[in-house]
Amino acid sequence: MAYKHGVYVQEQATSLVPPVNVEGCVPVVIGTAPIHLASKPAKVNKPVLCYSYAEAVEQLGYSDDWKSYTLCEAMYTAFSLYGVAPIIFINVLDPAVHKEEVANEQVAVTKKVAVIEDAVILDTLKVTGLTVDVDYVVSRDDTGNTVITIDDDSSHVSDENVTVSYTKIKAKAVTKTDIIGGVDIETGANKGLEVLEDVFSVTSIVPGVLIAPGWSNIPEVAAVMATKVNRINGVFRGITFVDLDTISVKKYSDVPAWKNKHNYTSEDQYVLWPRCYVGDKVFHMSSHAIGVNGVVLANNDDIPYESPSNKSIKIEGTCLYDGTEVVLNLTTANYLNGNGVATAINHIGGWKLWGDEMACYPANTDPKDRFLCVRMMFNWHRQTFIRTYFNKVDGPLRRRNLDTIVNSERVRLNGLVAQEVLIAGDISFTADENPTTSLIDGVVKFHQKLTPPVPMRDIEEVIEFDPTAYESLFS
């Protein structure tokens, strides 16, 4: 040791660790995109993080054909109607796979312009007998059609038809198998719902809510969605907003039987029925639910302690798949809620999302499982704890490190209680939960108790006629 003479100061790491700021419930949307219309197309089966509508269109393209391109519905709803961000998209439509060849098609030319009303992959387009950028130029119109404009100096300027060959996107070739996905045998890359495992690695954002409009009404897809969100990256947990079928299920009274028959009963599923509309646009309710939930989160510092139920939903009505109007009143909507299904009603104050219960209700009445906002709070706490203390992994098992975690958590929990985000919360490290056999194996266990506020789903008043008031007439 060097010789010292004087006064010296050393610094020691603070014994309190500030929590990591985590996003409340960032939505992940899986489906199909018109990737051929994107100016900077994103890779297929990769998480695409978008903070604006323009950014999403640039990387994924946009089309009003929501039945073919399901990501566009969520894109429009989240950004245009609710203004919530960010959104993470996963596109499974692969132009190299989901395609069809078109050969020698005759297209009429009107005023030197030929329009192909198809999902043309531009770099595959060939015009027989003509040279691109010499005889013609190619562009897109506002609806995504391919426009061939004959040059004034071309010898074909007077042609009434052109013969074209091209490769086109075949969105209908995408099936539930593509959505469910798996692992590519040759490359080891994740596909479909397996890409959920890549979201945190690519974006540093933990998936909060998973939706698949146009696909989650397929029981097999919904089941896999629930499985995948239950243990993301082996440690995190999310939830799914799923839509029930509105083709075969046309009456509210038939919903519970269909729901139970097809096993939409998970504590990780928030089930919605029917569909909804704005003007001539028909939506899946899950697309609107992430918008409503996003607005509530934004108003609460991204802490998901408040239910999105009874909050404004930007729709004009509810309907079936074919647009047939569905009229629900408070009684019929509550019947759905009582069977673990959320919906929308126009009761007091305009249209509202209506329902607090997860799909597991009424079979499971545990508050942490049955109530949407409580389930989200537990998920939010889980990811906060993991991300805050992950750097403690492989540190020495000593009292100071244990106290740092306990003390830091108590400060955080006390702050949440002061905000009334929690009713109560505490953490402990006890001998009975940490036997020597576990400690010498490097395993330590903390025990936390959380009490998020449950939604006041039923407010009641008792009123009675008071005949004694007539005594005042004689005083």
Side-chain angles (χ1 to χ4, degrees), residues 1 50 124 163 194 239 250 291 320 326 336 350 363 385 391 430 436 455 458:
M1 180 179 292
C50 299
T124 68
T163 301
E194 287 295 331
I239 57 174
K250 298 182 179 181
L320 300 177
V326 173
L336 292 174
F385 187 89
N391 63 348
T430 60
T436 302
D458 180 16

Side-chain angles (χ1 to χ4, degrees), residues 29-170:
V29 190
I30 187 169
T32 52
I35 200 71
H36 61 291
L37 300 179
S39 58
K40 296 180 180 179
K43 292 182 179 179
V44 177
N45 282 307
K46 298 293 181 183
V48 182
L49 176 63
C50 299
Y51 281 86
S52 68
Y53 178 79
E55 189 178 7
V57 172
E58 180 182 65
Q59 298 183 78
L60 298 164
Y62 179 81
S63 170
D64 283 327
D65 181 5
W66 293 352
K67 290 182 180 179
S68 298
Y69 308 110
T70 58
L71 292 184
C72 295
E73 176 188 329
M75 190 187 304
Y76 174 87
T77 309
F79 293 125
S80 298
L81 294 184
Y82 293 93
V84 297
I87 308 290
I88 297 169
F89 297 95
I90 300 171
N91 169 46
V92 305
L93 193 158
D94 190 346
V97 176
H98 307 110
K99 62 181 182 178
E100 182 178 339
E101 302 298 330
V102 177
N104 301 320
E105 180 180 78
Q106 292 287 313
V107 183
V109 177
T110 304
K111 296 182 180 180
K112 299 181 292 184
V113 173
V115 179
I116 305 174
E117 296 180 353
D118 215 337
V120 178
I121 301 175
L122 285 187
D123 59 8
T124 68
L125 178 65
K126 304 294 182 185
V127 183
T128 303
L130 280 71
T131 304
V132 65
D133 294 330
V134 175
D135 294 301
Y136 68 95
V137 293
V138 181
S139 61
R140 302 273 194 196
D141 64 16
D142 291 340
T143 59
N145 294 327
T146 300
V147 179
I148 300 171
T149 304
I150 309 298
D151 190 88
D152 288 336
D153 296 328
S154 172
S155 59
H156 298 269
V157 70
S158 299
D159 288 359
E160 295 182 354
N161 295 283
V162 290
T163 301
V164 297
S165 299
Y166 56 87
T167 304
K168 69 175 183 178
I169 295 289
K170 191 176 182 181

Side-chain angles (χ1 to χ4, degrees), residues 175-177 179-180 212 214-225 243-245 258 262 264:
T175 67
K176 65 181 180 182
T177 302
I179 299 295
I180 293 170
W215 298 100
S216 65
N217 55 287
I218 301 172
E220 187 178 353
V221 173
V224 176
M225 290 171 68
D243 302 286
L244 295 186
D245 181 28
W258 194 94
H262 296 285
Y264 285 72

Side-chain angles (χ1 to χ4, degrees), residues 191-249:
K191 300 189 296 183
L193 285 168
E194 287 295 331
V195 179
L196 200 65
E197 294 292 306
D198 300 333
V199 170
F200 183 67
S201 300
V202 173
T203 68
S204 296
I205 293 175
V206 178
V209 180
L210 174 66
I211 70 167
W215 298 100
S216 65
N217 55 287
I218 301 172
E220 187 178 353
V221 173
V224 176
M225 290 171 68
T227 299
K228 294 304 177 185
V229 297
N230 187 263
R231 190 163 291 274
I232 303 167
N233 298 132
V235 291
F236 300 119
R237 186 172 180 179
I239 57 174
T240 65
F241 288 179
V242 294
D243 302 286
L244 295 186
D245 181 28
T246 56
I247 297 178
S248 58
V249 186

Side-chain angles (χ1 to χ4, degrees), residues 1 57 60 90 104 106-107 168 204 224 259 261 268 275 277 315 321 325 348 351 360 366 378 380 424 432:
M1 180 179 292
V57 172
L60 298 164
I90 300 171
N104 301 320
Q106 292 287 313
V107 183
K168 69 175 183 178
S204 296
V224 176
K259 168 183 176 284
K261 177 182 178 181
D268 297 309
R275 297 183 71 178
Y277 66 88
I315 64 174
Y321 177 85
E325 188 91 11
I348 296 175
W351 282 97
C360 62
D366 187 330
F378 268 72
W380 175 81
D432 60 324

